[in-house]
Amino acid sequence: MQRQFTFPASFQESITKALASYKLSLQDSKALAKCVLALSDYFIHKPEDVTPWHESWAQVAYLCYYLPLNSTRLAGIIEEADKRNFFAGLERVVDFGAGLATASLSISQKHALQFHLVERASEPQKIIETYFPQFKAEEWQRTFSAPRLKDPKKTLAVFSYSLTELSDIPDWAYQCEALMLVEPSTQQDGRKLLQLRQKLLENGYHVWAPCTHEGPCPLLTQSKHDWCHDRVHFQAPEWFLKMEEQLPMKNRTLTMSYLLMRKTRPEVITAARVVGDRLEEKGKDRQMICRGPEREFLAWMHKLKIQQEIPRGVLIKNPTEVQKVSNELRVSKEVEVLD
Ligand SMILES: C[S@@+](CC[C@H](N)C(=O)[O-])C[C@H]1O[C@@H](n2cnc3c(N)ncnc32)[C@H](O)[C@@H]1O
């Protein structure tokens, strides 16, 4: 069992139309890969610089690579959000550092909300308005220094790969009922997000996902190296695979770190989150789970012949009939994955 995701067919139609304006098609694997490499090199050499949206190669790279990948990651997060009814009662989204509206487009696939996009560059707005007519933003804004929040109690502030340079969310976002924070799943960004989680808890927010508890994060407090991250399997279309053949980076699975928080309390659940991949060890399999401040592993001995593949990132029923050995919860039967 795997968590498989892709991006919607309507995005691909829009990407095709947009690429035609650069005299490119999805079949131009080499030319597309060249643009992706140029943007990837740019970020490697100038990590502090902003996305060079004025360059056509950066626009092409975003359209054919970062938009498909990030919207697939977001589809995985939105599915987990929906399992907890995270969007209930929300009416507006403020998508900060929206880029090609990646997060708003992804949320709009499932939830009819009003989208207010904040993006410093003007090019993404032009691309979205021209080639993604199915998506209607209520407003685009270049900066969000002075709060113009219409109804913060019904607003979700989204930071999708736009928090990287900030150590905290901006002041206006603290007025919002709900927060969706998505960060690259690097050790540095992931641990920074866990620190921010603590600060947001102290400031009246409750965590809806991935955590099922509000205690200290065991990955932060009981390890110097761990960071919480999720993984989804990417069902890439043929043209993407062909383009990827020209690239050093492969994307069969995609990882991301995220936090979903609201001022309203979530419904209490007796569940644990699977926060690790299965590790095969001598005589047993182990997989890290999170259900409280302890850093814990589910473990099942090979001699019990339990055949289970639990996808990283899902919720499981809190294992009760277990034998606790150090940080291991040894189970004697398959665990129940929650829908
Ligand atoms: C890494 S991109 C992420 C784009 C998109 N959210 C996604 O998930 O793919 C970060 C975006 O934030 C924008 N940005 C950075 N700082 C900003 C600011 N202070 N105000 C508005 N936009 C900003 C950049 O122009 C860039 O498009």
Side-chain angles (χ1 to χ4, degrees):
M1 186 178 45
Q2 288 176 344
R3 290 166 69 219
Q4 298 246 16
F5 294 90
T6 189
F7 56 98
S10 65
F11 290 15
Q12 187 165 308
E13 282 164 31
S14 296
I15 294 168
T16 305
K17 286 184 190 142
L19 287 180
S21 69
Y22 307 91
K23 305 213 175 337
L24 287 168
S25 85
L26 294 175
Q27 272 56 55
D28 291 320
S29 319
K30 283 198 175 146
L32 298 182
K34 213 172 146 191
C35 295
V36 175
L37 276 178
L39 189 55
S40 152
D41 284 350
Y42 176 93
F43 283 132
I44 290 169
H45 293 114
K46 300 177 180 173
E48 303 301 315
D49 274 20
V50 295
T51 312
W53 280 112
H54 59 285
E55 302 283 6
S56 54
W57 47 264
Q59 297 166 17
V60 170
Y62 235 96
L63 279 163
C64 70
Y65 190 77
Y66 294 99
L67 174 63
L69 292 182
N70 286 354
S71 53
T72 302
R73 292 180 167 102
L74 283 153
I77 296 172
I78 293 165
E79 185 177 272
E80 290 311 306
D82 285 337
K83 285 182 190 167
R84 304 230 54 200
N85 215 8
F86 176 73
F87 291 95
L90 299 176
E91 290 179 3
R92 297 173 56 81
V93 170
V94 176
D95 183 353
F96 182 83
L100 280 184
T102 320
S104 295
L105 280 169
S106 305
I107 294 170
S108 72
Q109 294 298 304
K110 292 250 186 116
H111 298 279
L113 303 172
Q114 293 177 332
F115 294 94
H116 177 157
L117 294 94
V118 185
E119 171 52 56
R120 138 158 80 197
S122 59
E123 292 84 355
Q125 179 180 354
K126 279 189 214 126
I127 295 172
I128 292 297
E129 287 178 346
T130 313
Y131 301 107
F132 292 73
Q134 68 276 28
F135 173 74
K136 295 269 177 274
E138 199 202 0
E139 189 177 356
W140 283 82
Q141 215 180 314
R142 296 282 164 261
T143 59
F144 207 130
S145 42
R148 277 205 343 233
L149 288 175
K150 284 204 180 131
D151 191 355
K153 288 202 165 75
K154 293 186 174 158
T155 298
L156 164 68
V158 175
F159 296 82
S160 171
Y161 297 90
S162 56
L163 205 59
T164 341
E165 292 123 66
L166 309 173
S167 58
D168 196 353
I169 56 171
D171 285 346
W172 60 261
Y174 276 96
Q175 296 172 41
C176 296
E177 155 64 22
L179 303 172
M180 175 186 279
L181 312 178
V182 187
E183 284 285 279
S185 67
T186 61
Q187 188 188 55
Q188 193 185 353
D189 291 319
R191 285 183 73 84
K192 211 170 81 183
L193 194 60
L194 299 179
Q195 279 156 358
L196 183 55
R197 168 190 181 272
Q198 195 51 43
K199 181 164 181 198
L200 292 169
L201 285 172
E202 285 159 15
N203 278 272
Y205 281 99
H206 299 281
V207 63
W208 287 53
C211 330
T212 58
H213 67 97
E214 297 197 342
C217 170
L219 280 79
L220 184 67
T221 58
Q222 299 191 12
S223 154
K224 285 194 167 55
H225 310 287
D226 287 346
W227 70 101
C228 186
H229 58 288
D230 196 359
R231 182 191 300 285
V232 293
H233 290 252
F234 178 37
Q235 279 182 306
E238 202 55 40
W239 65 265
F240 191 98
L241 295 172
K242 286 256 179 273
M243 175 183 70
E244 209 182 45
E245 281 172 16
Q246 318 286 327
L247 298 170
M249 52 277 198
K250 307 294 172 218
N251 297 282
R252 299 292 54 76
T253 70
L254 305 173
T255 55
M256 61 280 187
S257 292
Y258 74 95
L259 267 182
L260 301 176
M261 304 193 82
R262 285 187 67 153
K263 290 190 177 175
T264 306
R265 272 179 200 281
E267 211 178 289
V268 176
I269 46 165
T270 50
R273 179 79 62 186
V274 177
V275 292
D277 297 317
R278 182 172 60 84
L279 305 168
E280 205 171 326
E281 294 183 359
K282 201 168 171 225
K284 66 186 172 194
D285 280 358
R286 268 157 60 98
Q287 198 159 2
M288 203 196 286
I289 61 162
C290 184
R291 57 177 187 164
E294 296 302 320
R295 191 168 170 275
E296 293 178 316
F297 291 82
L298 267 189
W300 53 101
M301 310 309 282
H302 290 160
K303 64 180 179 211
L304 295 176
K305 305 223 177 299
I306 298 172
Q307 295 290 340
Q308 60 182 352
E309 200 60 59
I310 317 170
R312 185 187 190 118
V314 296
L315 288 173
I316 56 167
K317 198 169 168 196
N318 209 352
T320 43
E321 288 165 45
V322 294
Q323 186 197 357
K324 191 153 183 183
V325 181
S326 177
N327 63 4
E328 276 183 16
L329 304 172
R330 292 192 180 168
V331 292
S332 53
K333 57 179 190 207
E334 279 189 26
V335 296
E336 195 182 322
V337 175
L338 301 177
D339 287 330

